[in-house]
Amino acid sequence: MISHPVAGAVSALQKQALASSDSYELDRIDRALDELLRNPTNASTPAPYRTKSAMGHAYEVLERRRAIMQFVPLQSNYINCGQPDHNLLAAELLAWVTTEPNLTQAERVLLSDLAGGHDAVSLADRQAVPLQRMRERVSRARRRARALWESAEAEA
């Protein structure tokens, strides 16, 4: 039987994989999922910490692989055009928002909508609330998320 923290971490990584098209990030997520599922009954740490730890270990494995493996182009005129995924932090933050247990459901939905491209104006229209009230909600949700993120970083 899979523990609740491992299930939460697996779910967060699967959502992150569905949103990504970067092969390096998908390899990293795959390695992280392998690590999580090696010991599915372990419930000693919460899902967000498991996700972060597994992604960190996957990064180390892939970097060791890069250091060992020699690059061989498939064609003589081929140039490695790969670029780093600058949206990785945004993807990690969104994954964190979906799994952070200290966020309320309303904060989680609001922050996810903001990450999805909505702004205070569109959210106010959609929820039929005054713009100023929506701006206050956005500000409070961001402040709370920032504080929780910083405390999680300090603990790690």
Side-chain angles (χ1 to χ4, degrees):
M1 174 144 184
I2 192 166
S3 69
H4 182 69
V6 172
V10 167
S11 177
L13 287 173
Q14 288 174 336
K15 287 178 185 176
Q16 190 174 341
L18 288 173
S20 178
S21 60
D22 180 53
S23 61
Y24 177 79
E25 184 179 4
L26 291 172
D27 281 347
R28 190 172 167 202
I29 292 170
D30 185 51
R31 297 290 302 193
L33 286 169
D34 286 345
E35 180 178 329
L36 288 170
L37 295 176
R38 274 191 210 108
N39 192 1
T41 58
N42 187 341
S44 61
T45 54
Y49 300 112
R50 286 188 169 283
T51 304
K52 191 173 183 179
S53 175
M55 287 294 281
H57 292 147
Y59 169 80
E60 292 170 1
V61 169
L62 293 177
E63 289 304 308
R64 280 195 306 268
R65 184 187 300 165
R66 278 185 177 180
I68 294 169
M69 189 170 65
Q70 178 184 5
F71 175 73
V72 179
L74 299 176
Q75 300 172 358
S76 60
N77 62 352
Y78 176 78
I79 298 173
N80 186 6
C81 299
Q83 297 177 2
D85 185 3
H86 297 290
N87 295 324
L88 182 59
L89 179 58
E92 286 181 1
L93 283 170
L94 188 56
W96 175 80
V97 164
T98 59
T99 58
E100 174 56 45
N102 295 318
L103 288 173
T104 66
Q105 185 61 27
E107 291 169 332
R108 193 180 320 279
V109 169
L110 180 62
L111 292 168
S112 296
D113 287 344
L114 289 169
H118 290 283
D119 60 359
V121 175
S122 65
L123 292 172
D125 288 340
R126 194 167 78 179
Q127 294 182 15
V129 297
L131 179 58
Q132 186 58 34
R133 180 168 294 149
M134 183 53 67
R135 285 184 176 151
E136 290 170 356
R137 288 180 185 174
V138 168
S139 177
R140 288 179 183 145
R142 284 180 174 163
R143 186 179 320 119
R144 179 156 160 74
R146 191 176 300 114
L148 289 170
W149 177 267
E150 288 171 357
S151 69
E153 287 290 312
E155 291 175 9

